[in-house]
Amino acid sequence: MSNPDTLNARPLETEEHVALDEDYVLTTAFVEKVVDAADDGDGLRLRGLLEDLHPADVADLMGFLTVEHRGVVVLWLPPELLAATLPELDDGIREEVLERVPHLTLAEALQELDSDDAAAVVEDLEDDRRERVLAAMPDLDRAAIESSLGYAEDSAGRLMQREVMAAPQFWSVGDTIDHVRAQGEELPELFFDIYVVDPLNRPVGGVAVSQLLRAPRSAALTDLMEPINEIAVDQDQEEVAYVFEKYHLISAPVIDSAGRLVGQITVDDIVNIIQEENREDILRLAGVSDEDRGSSISEIVRGRVPWLAINLGTAVLGASVISWFGATIEQIIALAVLMPIVSAIGGNAGTQSLTVTVRALATRELNRSNSVRTFWREIAVGLANGLVLSPLIGVAAALWSGDWRIGAVIATAMVLNLIVAATVGVLTPLTLSRLKFDPAVSSAVFVTATTDFFGFLIFLGLATVVLL
Amino acid sequence: MSNPDTLNARPLETEEHVALDEDYVLTTAFVEKVVDAADDGDGLRLRGLLEDLHPADVADLMGFLTVEHRGVVVLWLPPELLAATLPELDDGIREEVLERVPHLTLAEALQELDSDDAAAVVEDLEDDRRERVLAAMPDLDRAAIESSLGYAEDSAGRLMQREVMAAPQFWSVGDTIDHVRAQGEELPELFFDIYVVDPLNRPVGGVAVSQLLRAPRSAALTDLMEPINEIAVDQDQEEVAYVFEKYHLISAPVIDSAGRLVGQITVDDIVNIIQEENREDILRLAGVSDEDRGSSISEIVRGRVPWLAINLGTAVLGASVISWFGATIEQIIALAVLMPIVSAIGGNAGTQSLTVTVRALATRELNRSNSVRTFWREIAVGLANGLVLSPLIGVAAALWSGDWRIGAVIATAMVLNLIVAATVGVLTPLTLSRLKFDPAVSSAVFVTATTDFFGFLIFLGLATVVLL
């Protein structure tokens, strides 16, 4: 593709150097050059700028461009680079880009990819386009993609690549090396472990490639092999990521229900999943549904408004508590001034307990064997927080209002609401998790709604009893 | 260590099977068995339970135990297993365990570990113990650990292992395999890439081990090698993790300031760093400092109270805004009922904008080239959220209060406060990041303080102007 003789081509070294800053992020200057070339419709210059970028950087670039500029860039990306870029794109941008690529070009590009990456791209196509693209591919590639799509989304089967390096139990190191040299084409481009299989193709152990290299040609694989962590093909990807992380795996064999080797998962795919799961957790805690750089404003609003609307409902609930005490507030306006303090601190403390609990559940530091202890620890923390903070606010409120009873009421209300906050902060995610729901979804809304409700109720209720 | 002939030993297969549930988490039954054995002081039974666990599972087990039980378990862990478990422990628990291990045992255990893992453990020792442990180690191991500790905390130098597989440019595949077979002892236990170096020991390319295996013995390394991503020894670990993640690396060479190869970093260490950084982000957003399973209640309270205290200060600020409008509230009690709704929705919308921005900064989807566009997008989202939600609350408030002007005031105040929320939600982390601070720290407190302040100010101010 490269065409170093045209006027527009730049020395490769220099382009590379200009494209990324010291933080491995595309420079504004480089992005502007791309935008200028796209505006001018200067395709050759555009290709010159793009062709030596890493696919991950092309994907980054797409995120920095507008829809219009992305449209121009896609036209001028060399086909191999387009193929390698597709799996790297944010979902929203990938869908948009896929719509612009003719289906024959796409069918060709997908053949360049590993079966798992190709399947991830095909998955995003609309039904009728998917049929046409698959129909334009060679039988073998199509079968691999269709088989991958046959597994549940987010399962190990969808994640694995079918290409795998397996060796029978009776092979020596020499046999294995000779096989790899002879059959290199059919093996995965990169592999880190050789899976030793029995006559029924069931893995019985693994040999790291560096261990194979170290051993004499005559050594038997069965003498070198170590136990392996097998992944079931229907296992959830979050589960798979946990096993990789916990046992520091680089790759793992995937087996079907009969225990037969059907593919392998490598750690580079796991890194993406860990980031994705973390992203989901952090955004869900804040009440944001999936959105990315490519999302339109209306998509973002549709993702965020439902949570705000639920929050509006719970805020109205809190307001209705206040309205029960209208007569009290009418007599002591100071209560209206102080009441948001009680609910705010409760909300914050509840969010602390909630976040710690959600995180501990995600990393499985928290499970049935220590949930009761964790619960009591959070309650103790809530009480301690209250005993530290309530004298501060109690004294301040007493001085400001000139009524020590108001100070006593707010201090007591704060201690009680901090215990409520700890209780609801730890029980909400634990309960959701026990019921097999994602503990991050909707927890935050429920926790702050509860601390608002009880914050107002305890403070205004106590005030009514004590002060009137 | 294993002693299958004693009365207390159980068949290995069965223990393993009982220890973990289908989620790869230690079962309550297993943890209870360990607790029972520790209570009975039955060391042999304890060792029988523990000796076939993976170090990661021993670390998990420690997290589920009390301080007292941990003390007993440490005594009965086989030394090799203790060594392998140390790097896996939570920081707090590791410090506690280290205090219980005699320094000669520790010096012996550390020799079993790779230099990076050993350094991570030694780092946690108090100064005088560190000296004694290091003094008890062979010169070579001590030198490796001391050199590792010479690099800044959280730097690539601290993260790397010094053991690395390098090959001169003139070697063939055959030369390389012969070298590995002969010198296997000095090489890293596992390696995934062979780094080709020039006569000054500067890396010029890399060959994946599986590619080496595939090539004929006569092939030259320089013909097989591909460009590599070099990591500078003083690079921050977060930076290193970003490069690994972006370019899907399995391992990368680390170079000193003269460009010479000094070590390698492998992806399994990166997975831990990614989790650690994500953990920090999610906890900091909630105002929780570092705490883990091993933290005492007073440590947890010391970590959380400062944020709650700051929040108390900002809540007082919000309350003072309300107090300015005491006269208005006295005349229309309905305002006291409705005002928390305006601030609550503002706080939630601000947290949404904030979280999305912090996340985009962490993944570098957001940088100088698109920060202005991101800002305007958030403002547009804030306005749109307001236009969707404010009619709901406006009509509800008008009906409830019987005064359409109160409905108009709350609807207008909500739109304005949602724009404030978007502004402060996106500008706070952007500004912190521009000033080289962590955008997650203290952002949430500042955002909700601002939305509370303006929420009360706009709503009560408008009400004073319109209604009185």
Side-chain angles (χ1 to χ4, degrees):
Chain A
M1 277 313 128
S2 142
N3 188 0
D5 285 329
T6 67
L7 255 181
N8 289 294
R10 298 278 175 286
L12 308 187
E13 210 49 37
T14 318
E15 285 303 353
E16 271 267 343
H17 187 70
V18 170
L20 295 176
D21 66 14
E22 74 280 10
D23 289 340
Y24 300 87
V25 167
L26 294 166
T27 60
T28 314
F30 180 81
V31 175
E32 276 165 11
K33 270 195 214 169
V34 170
V35 168
D36 285 346
D39 280 338
D40 298 347
D42 187 345
L44 286 179
R45 165 132 180 76
L46 211 46
R47 182 164 285 189
L49 284 166
L50 301 170
E51 64 190 354
D52 294 301
L53 288 181
H54 187 283
D57 289 313
V58 177
D60 255 16
L61 172 69
M62 298 297 253
F64 292 138
L65 298 177
T66 60
V67 181
E68 291 71 32
H69 290 132
R70 278 201 284 272
V72 182
V73 166
V74 167
L75 286 180
W76 288 95
L77 272 183
E80 300 84 4
L81 187 52
L82 173 65
T85 300
L86 285 173
E88 308 272 344
L89 291 169
D90 291 351
D91 289 353
I93 297 180
R94 180 158 60 214
E95 280 171 35
E96 177 202 310
V97 166
L98 284 175
E99 278 171 24
R100 292 170 184 275
V101 182
H103 73 275
L104 285 177
T105 312
L106 196 55
E108 224 168 293
L110 289 176
Q111 295 168 45
E112 311 275 325
L113 299 177
D114 275 342
S115 61
D116 55 333
D117 288 332
V121 172
V122 169
E123 183 186 5
D124 272 359
L125 294 171
E126 316 239 325
D127 283 351
D128 56 330
R129 275 212 80 201
R130 185 188 294 188
E131 305 258 311
R132 277 158 61 202
V133 169
L134 285 174
M137 293 182 75
D139 288 350
L140 219 73
D141 290 308
R142 183 175 59 240
I145 292 176
E146 281 172 345
S147 131
S148 176
L149 291 176
Y151 295 110
E153 210 175 336
D154 299 342
S155 71
R158 198 65 90 80
L159 202 59
M160 74 183 184
Q161 54 178 130
R162 292 152 56 96
E163 301 86 4
V164 57
M165 173 61 213
Q169 280 165 297
F170 55 85
W171 275 10
S172 67
V173 167
D175 296 335
T176 311
I177 294 180
D178 294 344
H179 170 81
V180 173
R181 287 205 182 119
Q183 306 289 325
E185 283 298 302
E186 291 167 27
L187 298 176
E189 201 194 321
L190 288 176
F191 55 90
F192 312 104
D193 292 295
I194 289 149
Y195 304 120
V196 182
V197 293
D198 71 8
L200 293 175
N201 199 29
R202 293 177 306 202
V204 293
V207 180
V209 177
S210 56
Q211 297 294 352
L212 187 85
L213 224 51
R214 200 179 296 231
R217 277 186 66 90
S218 57
L221 289 186
T222 42
D223 289 337
L224 296 176
M225 74 185 185
E226 301 197 13
I228 40 174
N229 289 76
E230 294 165 347
I231 307 285
V233 77
D234 57 355
Q235 213 164 324
D236 185 80
Q237 62 174 19
E238 201 172 341
E239 199 75 18
V240 178
Y242 178 75
V243 177
F244 265 78
E245 191 194 339
K246 180 166 182 181
Y247 299 118
H248 314 300
L249 306 181
I250 302 295
S251 77
V254 180
I255 54 170
D256 65 13
S257 55
R260 289 178 304 233
L261 181 66
V262 290
Q264 71 167 343
I265 293 176
T266 52
V267 67
D268 50 319
D269 293 322
I270 297 301
V271 169
N272 290 340
I273 287 170
I274 290 176
Q275 285 292 46
E276 200 182 297
E277 302 283 348
N278 275 308
R279 176 190 156 85
E280 271 178 25
D281 269 1
I282 201 167
L283 291 182
R284 280 179 183 166
L285 273 175
V288 178
S289 306
D290 269 344
E291 65 182 56
D292 57 46
R293 291 182 283 191
S295 304
S296 68
I297 288 175
S298 78
E299 281 167 347
I300 296 176
V301 172
R302 274 200 297 274
R304 294 198 205 167
V305 152
W307 292 108
L308 293 178
I310 292 171
N311 202 260
L312 190 59
T314 66
V316 167
L317 208 69
S320 69
V321 175
I322 302 174
S323 73
W324 302 341
F325 297 97
T328 309
I329 295 172
E330 208 152 15
Q331 291 178 55
I332 312 165
I333 290 295
L335 298 180
V337 173
L338 296 174
M339 66 186 185
I341 298 177
V342 180
S343 63
I345 304 301
N348 274 275
T351 305
Q352 288 181 335
S353 297
L354 168 65
T355 306
V356 169
T357 308
V358 165
R359 187 70 200 169
L361 283 168
T363 57
R364 307 195 193 186
E365 289 175 16
L366 179 56
N367 64 17
R368 280 169 195 242
S369 68
N370 61 347
S371 57
V372 175
R373 183 141 45 97
T374 303
F375 172 76
W376 286 113
R377 198 167 72 153
E378 282 296 324
I379 302 294
V381 168
L383 179 63
N385 284 341
L387 295 178
V388 173
L389 293 170
S390 60
L392 296 176
I393 193 65
V395 169
L399 291 176
W400 171 74
S401 66
D403 185 344
W404 69 268
R405 293 177 310 160
I406 289 185
V409 165
I410 194 171
T412 311
M414 190 170 281
V415 173
L416 294 176
N417 202 29
L418 283 171
I419 294 172
V420 169
T423 310
V424 69
V426 66
L427 283 190
T428 307
L430 273 181
T431 309
L432 285 172
S433 155
R434 199 63 64 94
L435 298 174
K436 306 278 178 204
F437 289 110
D438 181 336
V441 169
S442 74
S443 286
V445 171
F446 184 73
V447 168
T448 51
T450 310
T451 52
D452 277 1
F453 187 92
F454 283 99
F456 294 137
L457 184 66
I458 295 169
F459 177 62
L460 296 174
L462 268 180
T464 306
V465 173
V466 173
L467 301 173
L468 294 192
Chain B
M1 278 313 127
S2 143
N3 188 0
D5 285 328
T6 68
L7 255 180
N8 290 294
R10 297 280 175 284
L12 307 186
E13 209 50 37
T14 318
E15 285 302 354
E16 269 269 343
H17 187 71
V18 170
L20 297 176
D21 66 13
E22 75 280 10
D23 289 340
Y24 299 88
V25 167
L26 295 166
T27 59
T28 313
F30 180 82
V31 175
E32 276 166 12
K33 270 195 213 167
V34 171
V35 167
D36 285 347
D39 280 338
D40 298 349
D42 187 347
L44 286 179
R45 165 131 180 80
L46 211 44
R47 181 164 287 189
L49 283 167
L50 300 171
E51 64 190 354
D52 294 301
L53 287 182
H54 187 283
D57 288 315
V58 178
D60 255 16
L61 172 68
M62 298 296 253
F64 293 135
L65 298 177
T66 61
V67 181
E68 292 70 34
H69 290 133
R70 279 200 285 271
V72 182
V73 166
V74 167
L75 286 180
W76 288 96
L77 272 183
E80 301 83 5
L81 186 53
L82 173 65
T85 301
L86 286 174
E88 309 271 346
L89 290 170
D90 290 352
D91 290 354
I93 296 179
R94 180 157 62 214
E95 280 171 35
E96 177 202 310
V97 166
L98 284 175
E99 279 171 25
R100 293 172 183 273
V101 182
H103 73 276
L104 284 176
T105 313
L106 195 54
E108 222 168 297
L110 289 176
Q111 295 168 45
E112 311 275 325
L113 299 178
D114 276 339
S115 61
D116 55 332
D117 287 334
V121 172
V122 169
E123 183 186 6
D124 271 359
L125 294 172
E126 315 241 325
D127 282 352
D128 56 327
R129 276 211 81 201
R130 185 187 296 188
E131 305 259 309
R132 277 160 58 203
V133 169
L134 284 174
M137 293 182 75
D139 289 350
L140 218 73
D141 289 309
R142 183 175 59 241
I145 291 175
E146 282 172 345
S147 131
S148 176
L149 291 176
Y151 296 109
E153 209 174 336
D154 297 343
S155 71
R158 198 65 89 81
L159 200 60
M160 73 184 186
Q161 57 180 125
R162 293 152 55 94
E163 301 87 1
V164 56
M165 172 61 214
Q169 280 164 295
F170 56 85
W171 276 10
S172 67
V173 167
D175 297 335
T176 311
I177 294 180
D178 293 344
H179 170 81
V180 173
R181 286 204 183 122
Q183 305 290 323
E185 282 298 303
E186 291 166 29
L187 298 177
E189 202 195 322
L190 287 177
F191 56 89
F192 313 103
D193 292 293
I194 289 149
Y195 304 120
V196 182
V197 293
D198 71 10
L200 293 175
N201 199 28
R202 293 177 306 203
V204 294
V207 180
V209 179
S210 55
Q211 296 295 348
L212 187 84
L213 218 55
R214 198 180 298 232
R217 277 185 67 90
S218 57
L221 288 186
T222 43
D223 289 337
L224 296 176
M225 74 185 184
E226 301 198 13
I228 41 173
N229 289 76
E230 295 166 347
I231 307 286
V233 77
D234 58 355
Q235 212 163 323
D236 185 81
Q237 63 175 19
E238 200 171 343
E239 198 77 16
V240 178
Y242 178 74
V243 177
F244 265 78
E245 191 194 339
K246 181 166 180 179
Y247 299 119
H248 313 302
L249 305 181
I250 301 296
S251 77
V254 181
I255 54 170
D256 65 13
S257 56
R260 287 178 305 234
L261 182 66
V262 290
Q264 71 167 343
I265 294 176
T266 50
V267 67
D268 49 320
D269 293 321
I270 296 301
V271 169
N272 290 341
I273 288 171
I274 291 176
Q275 284 292 46
E276 202 181 298
E277 302 283 346
N278 275 311
R279 174 190 157 84
E280 271 179 25
D281 269 2
I282 200 167
L283 291 183
R284 280 180 183 165
L285 272 175
V288 178
S289 307
D290 269 343
E291 66 182 55
D292 56 45
R293 287 182 285 191
S295 305
S296 68
I297 289 175
S298 78
E299 281 168 344
I300 297 176
V301 172
R302 274 201 298 275
R304 295 197 205 168
V305 152
W307 292 108
L308 293 178
I310 292 172
N311 202 262
L312 190 58
T314 65
V316 167
L317 207 71
S320 69
V321 174
I322 302 174
S323 73
W324 303 341
F325 297 96
T328 308
I329 295 173
E330 207 153 17
Q331 290 180 54
I332 312 165
I333 289 294
L335 298 180
V337 173
L338 297 174
M339 65 186 185
I341 297 176
V342 179
S343 63
I345 304 301
N348 274 276
T351 303
Q352 288 182 334
S353 296
L354 168 65
T355 305
V356 169
T357 308
V358 165
R359 188 70 201 170
L361 283 168
T363 57
R364 306 197 194 187
E365 289 175 17
L366 179 55
N367 63 17
R368 282 171 194 241
S369 69
N370 61 347
S371 57
V372 174
R373 183 144 44 98
T374 303
F375 173 77
W376 286 114
R377 197 167 74 153
E378 281 297 323
I379 302 295
V381 169
L383 179 64
N385 284 343
L387 294 178
V388 173
L389 294 170
S390 60
L392 297 177
I393 193 64
V395 169
L399 291 176
W400 172 72
S401 67
D403 185 344
W404 69 268
R405 293 175 312 160
I406 289 184
V409 164
I410 194 170
T412 311
M414 188 170 284
V415 173
L416 294 176
N417 202 30
L418 283 171
I419 294 173
V420 168
T423 310
V424 70
V426 67
L427 284 189
T428 306
L430 273 181
T431 308
L432 284 172
S433 153
R434 199 63 65 92
L435 297 174
K436 306 278 177 203
F437 289 110
D438 181 335
V441 170
S442 75
S443 286
V445 171
F446 185 74
V447 168
T448 51
T450 309
T451 51
D452 277 1
F453 187 91
F454 282 99
F456 294 137
L457 185 66
I458 295 169
F459 177 63
L460 296 174
L462 267 180
T464 307
V465 172
V466 172
L467 301 173
L468 294 192

